[in-house]
Amino acid sequence: MKNIITKSAFLFVGAILSANSLFAKDDVEVITVHHFMSSKAPLQTKLLEPWAKKIEEASGGKLKIEIFPSMSMGGKPDELYKQVRNGTADIVWTLPGYTPGVFPRTEVFELPTVHIGDAVATSIAMREKFDLIKDDFTDVKPLLVYAAAGNALHTVNKKITNMSDLKGLKLRAPSRTAGWYIEAMGAESVGMPLPDLPQALSKNAIDGALVPFEVFPAYKFAQLTQYSIEGEKGERFGTSVFMLLMNNDRFNSLSKELQKVLLDSVDMNTVKEVGQLWMDFEKPGMQMQKDSKGGEIIKLDSNAMAEFNKAGEQVVQRWVEEAKTKGIDGQKLVDSAREAISASSK
């Protein structure tokens, strides 16, 4: 009888432990993150992986982040927004430029002469003035919205010292407003996702591109371009906004506790840190261009830069007029963005 009771007790305890084990396993929320950059890119190694670890620790292991680089969940870079909206991926990292028209207000922070060249200042301004652009994000949950250091102009073999040198060149644009800027410069705009750019440069299908230096190591652009151009004080030709977006239903499915963990992980301090990271990411790429055979970084003088800024202002006014047709006060957005960026730069 004693043995029967002992055996029954053992089985009962075992059942309880097994149930607890299953509960503990099911209690872990696995969140997928999808992006198009490589697993070795700074985005993955310096931002997403440390962020995932931070979240897992802050949640006591209740949140686990699984990162899928290089579009390994399927699809193309310009489909990332659709994937997060329909729940194919829980979170994506993407750019407004890949889905033209979806983020009409957010574009203001990408415009030439609005963003000058400081990722920290523009990222802070976006966070502080998020109410200006919040209507762009009704279909998704924005976790982190920030700016790159900005687009430098890189050419395969044409040395650029003033805007007239660009006439007739084919240049890759990262967004539609960057395409307008290229046209205002007198060149031909060619739109394409970043992963397609190395092949286009190597085959001379295009003459150059607008991209930041931070992508140079991952895509070996120092081997594909001879000249890089920026302003005398490091001014850039507009920028790209980057976004970490989450599916609304997936976010709402989490407990309030876990929602708070996610939101706390992307506070203003994070915005400042990420902005500085992207400024720091420029340095290795710039050094690679300087060290490459025949490579040169050209600093445009104030007169030449004034020409580019005049073209940039044409783009701003074109954007303001288009925004008006959508019922958006574009000039108010431009003025507010410039004011916020200027204040954040001090």
Side-chain angles (χ1 to χ4, degrees):
M1 183 70 176
K2 183 179 179 180
N3 288 339
I4 293 174
I5 293 174
T6 303
K7 184 176 182 181
S8 298
F10 176 78
L11 291 172
F12 176 74
V13 171
I16 294 294
L17 290 174
S18 178
N20 285 341
S21 176
L22 287 172
F23 176 76
K25 183 178 180 181
D26 292 341
D27 200 36
V28 176
E29 295 278 4
V30 178
I31 304 293
T32 58
V33 179
H34 198 201
H35 67 88
F36 63 85
M37 298 291 276
S38 80
S39 60
K40 296 180 180 179
L43 165 72
Q44 171 98 8
T45 61
K46 302 296 185 181
L47 174 58
L48 293 181
E49 290 176 1
W51 177 67
K53 183 178 179 182
K54 174 181 171 183
I55 287 174
E56 290 178 28
E57 290 176 352
S59 69
K62 293 179 181 178
L63 269 180
K64 180 176 175 58
I65 307 295
E66 290 189 354
I67 306 169
F68 295 85
S70 304
M71 298 305 298
S72 51
M73 290 179 68
K76 300 177 180 178
D78 59 6
E79 295 172 347
L80 283 166
Y81 172 71
K82 180 180 178 181
Q83 290 182 357
V84 74
R85 191 182 61 193
N86 66 25
T88 301
D90 296 325
I91 295 174
V92 301
W93 180 87
T94 187
L95 295 78
Y98 282 5
T99 48
V102 176
F103 301 95
R105 299 164 185 82
T106 308
E107 283 180 337
V108 70
F109 288 101
E110 297 185 326
L111 294 172
T113 74
V114 174
H115 172 84
I116 306 301
D118 186 342
V120 179
T122 300
S123 297
I124 292 172
M126 277 192 285
R127 182 64 171 237
E128 290 183 338
K129 297 292 183 179
F130 193 78
D131 279 353
L132 295 172
I133 62 175
K134 66 180 181 181
D135 288 345
D136 286 354
F137 298 89
T138 55
D139 292 337
V140 291
K141 180 70 177 178
L143 297 179
L144 183 63
V145 182
Y146 65 100
N151 298 314
L153 177 59
H154 313 277
T155 56
V156 175
N157 51 31
K158 179 70 180 286
K159 187 170 185 175
I160 308 297
T161 57
N162 56 67
M163 204 167 71
S164 62
D165 293 332
L166 295 172
K167 189 173 182 180
L169 296 188
K170 292 182 179 180
L171 303 175
R172 178 262 183 178
S175 65
R176 72 193 193 103
T177 55
W180 296 353
Y181 193 21
I182 288 170
E183 292 168 5
M185 294 176 190
E188 180 181 342
S189 172
V190 181
M192 69 177 67
L194 183 63
D196 296 341
L197 184 52
Q199 185 176 19
L201 290 169
S202 65
K203 292 188 174 183
N204 292 314
I206 57 175
D207 301 295
L210 283 174
V211 292
F213 283 98
E214 60 106 349
V215 299
F216 265 54
Y219 291 96
K220 300 180 180 178
F221 284 150
Q223 299 175 20
L224 299 169
T225 60
Q226 185 173 353
Y227 298 106
S228 295
I229 300 94
E230 64 176 2
E232 192 174 30
K233 299 178 182 178
E235 302 98 323
R236 297 297 175 85
F237 310 103
T239 192
S240 290
V241 167
F242 296 140
M243 308 178 297
L244 203 58
L245 307 175
M246 188 168 187
N247 176 267
N248 272 330
D249 291 339
R250 187 70 181 99
F251 179 81
N252 292 331
S253 74
L254 299 175
S255 68
K256 295 297 183 183
E257 174 195 5
L258 295 184
Q259 288 180 7
K260 186 175 185 302
V261 169
L262 274 175
L263 296 179
D264 287 350
S265 73
V266 286
D267 60 9
M268 179 59 92
N269 285 333
T270 306
V271 170
K272 294 176 182 178
E273 290 168 3
V274 171
Q276 189 57 55
L277 270 178
W278 255 256
M279 292 299 291
D280 294 341
F281 291 162
E282 293 293 280
K283 297 171 186 175
M286 295 179 80
Q287 195 59 50
M288 289 177 73
Q289 186 70 311
K290 292 175 182 177
D291 292 343
S292 66
K293 186 177 181 180
E296 183 180 353
I297 296 178
I298 298 165
K299 297 276 190 178
L300 298 174
D301 63 30
S302 57
N303 290 332
M305 199 63 208
E307 291 182 316
F308 282 90
N309 286 339
K310 184 177 180 181
E313 191 55 37
Q314 292 174 18
V315 173
V316 171
Q317 292 310 310
R318 179 177 174 179
W319 184 85
V320 167
E321 290 303 313
E322 186 195 76
K324 194 181 299 182
T325 67
K326 299 176 181 178
I328 298 171
D329 189 342
Q331 190 60 57
K332 179 182 177 181
L333 285 176
V334 168
D335 293 343
S336 297
R338 281 177 168 157
E339 181 182 357
I341 291 170
S342 177
S344 301
S345 300
K346 295 176 182 177

